[in-house]
Amino acid sequence: MSHPVHPGKTALVTGGASGIGLGIARVLLDAGLHVIVADVRADHLETARAALAEAGDRALFLSLDVGNRDDWQRARETVEERYGRLHILCLNAGVGLLGSMIDSDEADWMWSTIVNLAGVTNGVDALLPHMLAHGEPGHVIATSSMGGLIVANDGGIYSSAKFGVVALMEELRRALAGTSVSASVLCPAAVNTNIFDHVRMRPEAFAAKSVPDERMLEEAEAFARGILSHGRSPLEVGEMVRAAIAADAPYVFTDSAVRPTLAARYNALLASVGA
Amino acid sequence: MGGPLVLALGADAPFLGPQPDYFAAEADAGIAAVRAQIEAMPVPSNTYLLAVGTGDPVAIDGADWTSEVLAPLRRAFAFATGAARKLRASGDRGSIVFLLPSSALLSDGPPSARSVLLRALLGMAEALRAELGSSPVRTSIVFHAVGEDPIELGARLEHAVAERPMYSLSADLDGARIRGYFAPLFAAIDAAGAGPPLPDIGPMAMVYDLDRVGTRRS
Ligand SMILES: NC(=O)c1ccc[n+]([C@@H]2O[C@H](COP(=O)([O-])OP(=O)(O)OC[C@H]3O[C@@H](n4cnc5c(N)ncnc54)[C@H](O)[C@@H]3O)[C@@H](O)[C@H]2O)c1
């Protein structure tokens, strides 16, 4: 199957106005594609518009909440009216809500699961039939996380959704075998993005029960930002995604240093065989 | 001591005999309501069990994600965290067992939306075990195979409740299949190359340490 990373083809990237999504958008624009940069945050869309100005009208900026199915219908209409065909769908938007799963409430669970998991299934529902129908090579890639393959003790709701995203992309890849479209999953480790400020962008519909303590929040953000500032650049990750789509690779990781953590889970499973 | 309190998800959830109490709540009950209901129910065995069926394969195109995945996932989350809160508050030794089809770990039947629910439940179970860490409460994952002898499954369940290992694998989950699933993951990780070194953030993935997973070999 030939791949869709060619000048003149069209891609849509959710969460495309910041971090990894912006890195993917920039790399695909550099490769000559048209890119729809879709994001829920107006401030991020404005920053992205400025950052990608040199792409001219090959970049389109779209307000889209991945949890909202009506927004997805509008996105499909935009694709069909403006470009006719979509070739690459990057389901990347996500929220990094960490903390105790046991102490979390309905709003925590709903926000994380609607964005991180339903945000991906909604995108598949809205655009995969279109991508299959036009018959040209296409690719769907979703951003999960290393947390979609291994767990930590403070990320249960996030990991549950991201485990689901890995399974969805694995199943989709098998289901699409022999068609014009393929699927992959991206499992980033530490990438230097704005993921540290997600607690601040909680929508009203999923408002936290109590307002988080500002000083604790600032400390947590500074800690996360400090770690992530050493991480991969989003542009490098965008390049990895481009290469993976071109090679039709099933999995994309961003850092081999996480191998021992995955190996720990693998060894735990193997040690349990016949136990 | 009595039996476990059981949440059955799916019409084909393994039947556990007449002894257990089956948990029932309104289909659309919120997380807080389910937790409150669990809080009020005496469970002298301190054992809570989510019994999940294999389900029918549901094609990914056209799946109703709300009923296939989101609603049962939310229900399981409310039940498991409700049990964890109650056990944590009591300070007693307790068990939360996720009885999952083996396809939650390795799916090679017809591609199905059901796998998304099952894998998300697996992530939830592992993360709950990690969060409960060194508390007296443990989460175990008991995988069941299609057509598994109910007596054998019952014995593995009993062992899981008594010994509280992280995993109890059904016979279809053998080393070759596990290696087969992980091989492309390791190949892709190796292909990524090492990123810039990160500051030390302490031990990672401790829940998988062999001396904590509780296999007979560890
Ligand atoms: N940065 C990392 O180290 C890392 C590690 C593992 C996984 N990830 C995953 O990478 C993806 C991208 O995150 P990032 O690190 O680039 O963070 P980021 O904050 O820089 O970018 C995420 C973007 O997603 C957007 N977004 C959030 N909710 C949305 C919604 N409902 N609809 C549309 N857009 C929405 C945000 O506005 C933001 O612009 C996420 O899925 C995240 O879980 C990141």
Side-chain angles (χ1 to χ4, degrees):
Chain A
M1 193 185 77
S2 58
H3 66 75
V5 190
H6 293 295
K9 303 292 179 194
T10 303
L12 185 149
V13 186
T14 68
S18 172
I20 294 172
L22 184 56
I24 298 172
R26 191 188 285 273
V27 167
L28 294 180
L29 285 166
D30 288 349
L33 282 85
H34 298 272
V35 178
I36 303 168
V37 176
D39 206 291
V40 76
R41 274 180 69 164
D43 58 335
H44 282 181
L45 282 168
E46 275 321 299
T47 313
R49 192 190 298 276
L52 302 175
E54 76 272 24
D57 62 5
R58 281 194 299 109
L60 178 80
F61 299 87
L62 187 74
S63 171
L64 171 126
D65 176 352
V66 292
N68 182 323
R69 294 177 71 85
D70 293 339
D71 280 9
W72 274 109
Q73 285 319 308
R74 275 193 290 276
R76 187 176 51 76
E77 284 159 20
T78 303
V79 162
E80 288 174 350
E81 282 160 20
R82 297 275 299 244
Y83 304 97
R85 291 168 183 197
L86 183 75
H87 304 91
I88 297 177
L89 177 59
C90 301
L91 299 165
N92 164 78
V95 286
L97 183 68
L98 302 181
S100 163
M101 172 158 67
I102 300 173
D103 294 326
S104 57
D105 63 14
E106 182 96 37
D108 299 324
W109 189 86
M110 289 295 281
W111 184 37
S112 177
T113 309
I114 296 286
V115 178
N116 289 325
L117 183 53
V120 177
T121 57
N122 286 345
V124 168
D125 278 356
L127 284 162
L128 181 61
H130 158 92
M131 293 171 75
L132 284 166
H134 67 60
E136 292 181 10
H139 204 102
V140 182
I141 182 164
T143 306
S144 175
S145 169
M146 272 316 287
L149 290 164
I150 47 162
V151 298
N153 58 2
D154 67 346
I157 301 183
Y158 181 77
S159 265
S160 178
K162 295 291 190 179
F163 266 60
V165 172
V166 172
L168 173 60
M169 288 297 114
E170 289 173 351
E171 294 295 82
L172 198 56
R173 186 174 174 88
R174 294 197 302 122
L176 291 171
T179 73
S180 55
V181 181
S182 189
S184 313
V185 63
L186 167 66
C187 296
V191 184
N192 188 8
T193 70
N194 291 316
I195 197 169
F196 57 81
D197 81 348
H198 285 184
V199 173
R200 293 191 190 275
M201 52 176 268
R202 257 181 115 109
E204 197 49 42
F206 306 123
K209 226 178 17 216
S210 54
V211 182
D213 179 86
E214 184 58 29
R215 223 193 51 182
M216 278 169 61
L217 202 58
E218 275 172 17
E219 276 170 19
E221 282 176 4
F223 178 74
R225 190 191 291 121
I227 306 276
L228 292 180
S229 66
H230 296 267
R232 285 264 191 215
S233 85
L235 218 48
E236 277 179 284
V237 177
E239 182 49 42
M240 290 170 163
V241 167
R242 188 205 60 74
I245 296 172
D248 190 22
Y251 301 103
V252 192
F253 291 91
T254 62
D255 191 350
S256 61
V258 293
R259 191 186 218 278
T261 52
L262 185 63
R265 179 168 183 248
Y266 168 73
N267 289 330
L269 283 162
L270 280 182
S272 306
V273 172
Chain B
M1 278 295 273
L5 180 66
V6 179
L7 173 68
L9 285 180
D12 64 344
F15 180 60
L16 302 165
Q19 193 196 12
D21 280 334
Y22 281 91
F23 178 79
E26 297 293 320
D28 57 354
I31 290 170
V34 170
R35 285 173 172 168
Q37 207 176 324
I38 289 172
E39 178 60 42
M41 289 177 81
V43 181
S45 65
N46 280 347
T47 302
Y48 295 79
L49 202 149
L50 278 95
V52 185
T54 309
D56 293 328
V58 176
I60 285 168
D61 52 329
D64 176 347
W65 296 104
T66 302
S67 63
E68 285 297 326
V69 177
L70 298 180
L73 191 60
R74 175 166 166 266
R75 201 171 173 74
F77 175 78
F79 181 83
T81 55
R85 287 158 88 105
K86 184 171 177 184
L87 290 169
R88 187 181 60 178
S90 75
D92 292 340
R93 185 185 197 274
S95 268
I96 302 167
V97 179
F98 283 67
L99 180 55
L100 299 178
S102 55
S103 55
L105 181 64
L106 303 178
S107 162
D108 48 17
S112 169
R114 180 81 175 167
S115 300
V116 178
L117 169 67
L118 299 179
R119 192 77 66 80
L121 287 169
L122 177 56
M124 184 191 297
E126 292 190 7
L128 195 55
R129 184 171 174 104
E131 183 174 341
L132 288 165
S134 52
S135 83
V137 185
R138 291 274 182 287
T139 302
S140 297
I141 300 149
V142 176
F143 294 103
H144 62 90
V146 174
E148 182 169 359
D149 176 356
I151 295 176
E152 273 170 33
L153 179 57
R156 285 201 298 118
L157 259 178
E158 234 168 76
H159 172 79
V161 171
E163 301 298 327
R164 308 186 308 167
M166 181 157 182
Y167 305 116
S168 169
L169 304 188
S170 43
D172 60 333
L173 293 172
D174 57 20
R177 283 186 73 205
I178 293 171
R179 282 186 208 97
Y181 174 72
F182 277 87
L185 293 170
F186 286 128
I189 286 199
D190 293 340
L198 296 174
D200 185 10
I201 53 167
M204 301 272 288
M206 278 166 52
V207 69
Y208 303 114
D209 280 357
L210 286 184
D211 55 358
R212 291 175 188 233
V213 292
T215 67
R216 285 181 196 148
R217 268 180 256 169
S218 60

